[in-house]
Amino acid sequence: MRTCLFPGTFDPITLGHTDVIDRGLDLFDRMVIAIGVNSSKTPMFALEERMAWIREIYKADARVEVASYSGLTIDFCKKLDARFILRGIRSGGDLEYERAIADANRTVAPGIETIFLTPVPQYSSIASTLVRDLYKYGGDVSAFLPAAVLEGIQRLKQ
């Protein structure tokens, strides 16, 4: 079975993320969307909420699992027996950053490959940071988020 890990903070998960996930599902038998827990970061949305949104988005696809982890991504891959890491690349800056991580991971765990996918052009500029800023200051984030996330953040506002 070809298991792939798609790690990130997904704070929140965007249409750019889901575009990469959806196209990655054509390549792998099992996709684990893994929310990394970093004690030095304070996310805007609770871990449980982010996990629930992803589960809702992919509830009809048994190939998709949602998990959280702390520590090294490569160690979590080993724990899951995932031979692939999926990463989305929006720009040249993303590529350089992700390539450096992929090179380090390949050195530590040569049997785990990193696969890069670019989002479709209309989602290539979407970043969770941008979406959080728009949301924080009352901007319209509907063009950037899946319906499950939009519904979730509307409930949070109430």
Side-chain angles (χ1 to χ4, degrees):
M1 177 183 294
R2 292 176 317 226
T3 298
C4 179
L5 185 76
F6 186 45
T9 54
F10 306 106
D11 187 33
I13 190 168
T14 68
L15 291 172
H17 292 126
T18 58
D19 176 62
V20 170
I21 293 165
D22 293 345
R23 287 182 302 107
L25 284 167
D26 290 337
L27 304 172
F28 305 103
D29 303 310
R30 175 180 172 226
M31 172 91 59
V32 179
I33 303 170
I35 300 177
V37 177
N38 184 335
S39 61
S40 66
K41 288 185 179 180
T42 304
M44 179 176 277
F45 301 103
L47 173 64
E48 297 75 22
E49 189 71 43
R50 291 178 281 153
M51 291 179 77
W53 290 335
I54 297 167
R55 284 189 184 107
E56 177 64 23
I57 293 165
Y58 291 101
K59 67 184 175 189
D61 196 328
R63 299 172 298 167
V64 177
E65 299 173 27
V66 182
S68 66
Y69 73 101
S70 59
L72 295 175
T73 300
I74 205 75
D75 289 340
F76 196 56
C77 282
K78 291 175 186 176
K79 179 180 176 183
L80 297 174
D81 198 27
R83 291 185 27 240
F84 303 94
I85 298 172
L86 179 62
R87 298 300 296 154
I89 303 292
R90 295 170 302 197
S91 66
D94 280 356
L95 178 60
E96 288 304 311
Y97 175 75
E98 294 293 344
R99 187 182 62 82
I101 295 170
D103 289 347
N105 286 341
R106 190 177 308 108
T107 300
V108 173
I112 299 174
E113 281 295 332
T114 300
I115 308 296
F116 300 120
L117 290 178
T118 59
V120 294
Q122 68 261 34
Y123 301 141
S124 64
S125 63
I126 298 175
S128 292
T129 303
L130 168 69
V131 173
R132 284 192 309 270
D133 285 347
L134 282 169
Y135 174 76
K136 181 178 178 181
Y137 295 107
D140 181 7
V141 294
S142 61
F144 308 111
L145 299 174
V149 179
L150 286 170
E151 292 167 12
I153 64 175
Q154 287 169 351
R155 279 193 307 271
L156 291 174
K157 280 186 174 182
Q158 296 175 357

